[in-house]
Amino acid sequence: MSQQFKAANPEEIVLHMLDMMSLVFHRPSGLTHIVADPIPAILEVMQQEVSTPAQIAEALENNFDLEEGVDVENVVLARLDEMNALGLVERISE
Amino acid sequence: MGQAYITNLRVGPATFRIASDWQKPIAQLNSLYENYPKPDSEFADFTVRLESQSVWRKYFRPTVHISGDFWLPDAAPLPLSQGLLAAEMAMNLQMALGWRRHLLLHASTVEKDGKALLMTGLSGSGKSTLSAMLGEKGWRFMGDEFALICPQTGLAYSFPRLISLKNEAITTMERIMPEDRFGPLLEDTPKGRIRHLVPSLESLEASNVPAKPAMLIFPRFGYDKAVREIGKSEIFVRLTQASTNYVALGEAGFRALTSFVDNVPARAIDYQSGDEAEILIDQLWAELA
């Protein structure tokens, strides 16, 4: 059973790149999150589609140079769990 | 319950109504703030009250309780001899907790050619002393405690309160400044010896003139001379820690601070003396500002 996620409405977040880190201002909570790769990339490839970690991993591999031998899907799932806790993505129940 | 002694003060854009059970702190404030621009109206942004614990304690070993629009429940009372310090601490507290018109950065600021140099760091970093020193050496002193950043324009506004010199910094400034610029020496305060210094007349007269932030310094006193670059994310984190109202301002604060971090070059400097810091700052200013 594959989990599905949807990114927060783009109007709810302001993404600001700094250097190796980026900032995400989350309008509903008023909180500022400091995030590292691949979180900005995940938000970019998810857009507004409901996606599984496997679909996001594939999109990342197609769009970015990723390190060889990394279990991208598992890394994506771990980040999605964290992003879900912050309100940056929403887990869609099946 | 009204207090017997009252004065209205203006520091930069902020106005304060100070009410006291005792005459002395008000007289000291009126003397030290004599050359400051006067408030435009009797309606102040903030009220500060210096109160006795009881009618009896107003006279017997009097201690000053601070209260006002904003206050901290655990603020310890000070002896009446430190009433001036109590007033200054209370005014700072009102700004830190209550000001919403600007993004407040806990930083000292000086200006040259319409451009502002901000210095931020922990207590003891020397930011206050450096601003006081530079304020006598061709820079306009804008503040030793808070830099006020306008969320709309990004400009820095002045908050030239009395400069709070502590411990060794008192002797350093007494060597170069005339006696009539100083307040009374306050011994045994929670921060050691404190003596207030009145900013220059030029600084007070220009206190409504903003400046474009052009350089940010993180000074550190007592280490071998060094200059370091700092990444933007570290600058951002340090400035959120240095801001008393970043969270309260919400998205306006986020946009003001990200714009500041993107546009203002920053360096960390270590120094052993005021002269060494001045040389470093002049070099960096010529290179970056």
Side-chain angles (χ1 to χ4, degrees):
Chain A
M1 188 174 70
S2 182
Q3 303 179 64
Q4 292 187 312
F5 294 86
K6 187 171 188 286
N9 185 328
E11 287 179 5
E12 290 184 357
I13 59 174
V14 184
L15 189 63
H16 188 92
M17 315 293 267
L18 286 176
D19 38 34
M20 289 148 58
M21 313 289 271
S22 297
L23 301 171
V24 182
F25 183 78
H26 185 237
R27 286 188 170 126
S29 65
L31 294 178
T32 306
H33 302 293
I34 301 176
V35 298
D37 273 339
I39 286 178
I42 291 176
L43 286 171
E44 188 183 324
V45 301
M46 282 179 85
Q47 300 191 6
Q48 276 300 283
E49 303 296 322
V50 174
S51 326
T52 64
Q55 288 168 329
I56 295 167
E58 190 186 343
L60 289 175
E61 283 170 320
N62 291 337
N63 289 290
F64 298 91
D65 287 332
L66 303 185
E67 211 176 314
E68 297 283 329
V70 175
D71 183 347
V72 179
E73 187 177 336
N74 257 331
V75 171
V76 167
L77 180 58
R79 297 293 84 76
L80 286 169
D81 280 338
E82 293 163 358
M83 293 164 78
N84 184 51
L86 301 179
L88 303 181
V89 300
E90 184 188 350
R91 192 189 301 272
I92 308 289
S93 29
E94 309 212 355
Chain B
M1 191 174 70
Q3 267 85 31
Y5 304 96
I6 291 170
T7 190
N8 288 289
L9 304 175
R10 181 171 139 203
V11 183
T15 52
F16 300 87
R17 180 176 185 272
I18 321 284
S20 168
D21 282 343
W22 304 272
Q23 190 263 343
K24 189 178 167 190
I26 297 296
Q28 288 175 329
L29 286 169
N30 283 337
S31 163
L32 291 167
Y33 281 87
E34 187 185 0
N35 291 324
Y36 278 68
K38 301 290 177 261
D40 298 328
S41 82
E42 61 184 295
F43 299 106
D45 292 309
F46 300 113
T47 298
V48 164
R49 285 185 291 277
L50 307 177
E51 297 172 318
S52 56
Q53 279 171 291
S54 65
V55 173
W56 175 242
R57 285 300 293 271
K58 183 174 170 183
Y59 306 102
F60 178 70
R61 276 196 277 120
T63 55
V64 181
H65 273 258
I66 299 171
S67 73
D69 302 324
F70 298 90
W71 56 284
L72 296 175
D74 57 351
L78 292 169
L80 179 57
S81 60
Q82 296 173 17
L84 172 64
L85 177 63
E88 285 289 309
M89 285 168 63
M91 287 161 70
N92 277 348
L93 195 63
Q94 307 312 305
M95 284 301 285
L97 300 182
W99 194 254
R100 296 287 183 273
R101 275 180 253 166
H102 301 93
L103 177 70
L104 241 79
L105 298 177
H106 193 221
S108 66
T109 314
V110 291
E111 176 264 352
K112 198 187 260 184
D113 304 326
K115 296 187 286 188
L117 161 65
L118 284 78
M119 296 174 275
T120 185
L122 300 173
S123 186
S125 63
K127 62 181 187 303
S128 189
T129 315
L130 285 177
S131 66
M133 195 189 71
L134 293 172
E136 303 304 318
K137 297 190 175 186
W139 298 73
R140 170 170 64 108
F141 172 84
M142 292 182 72
D144 80 328
E145 180 78 3
F146 296 126
L148 311 179
I149 306 297
C150 174
Q152 281 81 37
T153 62
L155 294 177
Y157 281 78
S158 180
F159 187 71
R161 62 160 206 166
L162 300 175
I163 302 162
S164 172
L165 299 171
K166 298 178 194 79
N167 303 313
E168 294 79 18
I170 299 172
T171 328
T172 307
M173 292 308 290
E174 281 172 344
R175 276 194 221 112
I176 59 168
M177 302 294 301
E179 179 63 21
D180 63 3
R181 292 271 300 275
F182 290 92
L185 180 64
L186 307 173
E187 301 272 10
D188 300 321
T189 80
K191 293 184 172 179
R193 294 162 75 227
I194 286 186
R195 197 166 187 200
H196 292 100
L197 174 66
V198 181
S200 70
L201 202 54
E202 175 214 7
S203 159
L204 298 179
E205 284 172 349
S207 64
N208 282 340
V209 181
K212 187 173 190 286
M215 191 163 91
L216 171 68
I217 294 283
F218 294 92
R220 204 165 62 143
F221 173 69
Y223 293 84
D224 287 343
K225 185 172 94 171
V227 177
R228 288 182 307 281
E229 292 194 23
I230 317 178
K232 281 186 181 179
S233 28
E234 185 180 344
I235 296 168
F236 183 86
V237 171
R238 286 210 204 182
L239 290 180
T240 55
Q241 290 167 342
S243 174
T244 57
N245 66 359
Y246 170 76
V247 172
L249 290 188
E251 188 172 343
F254 174 80
R255 294 202 181 270
L257 196 58
T258 48
S259 169
F260 185 96
V261 171
D262 281 342
N263 294 310
V264 182
R267 293 288 186 274
I269 66 166
D270 293 350
Y271 65 100
Q272 300 268 16
S273 70
D275 290 342
E276 194 168 76
E278 193 185 346
I279 293 168
L280 283 176
I281 287 170
D282 282 345
Q283 284 169 352
L284 289 170
W285 185 256
E287 186 187 324
L288 300 172

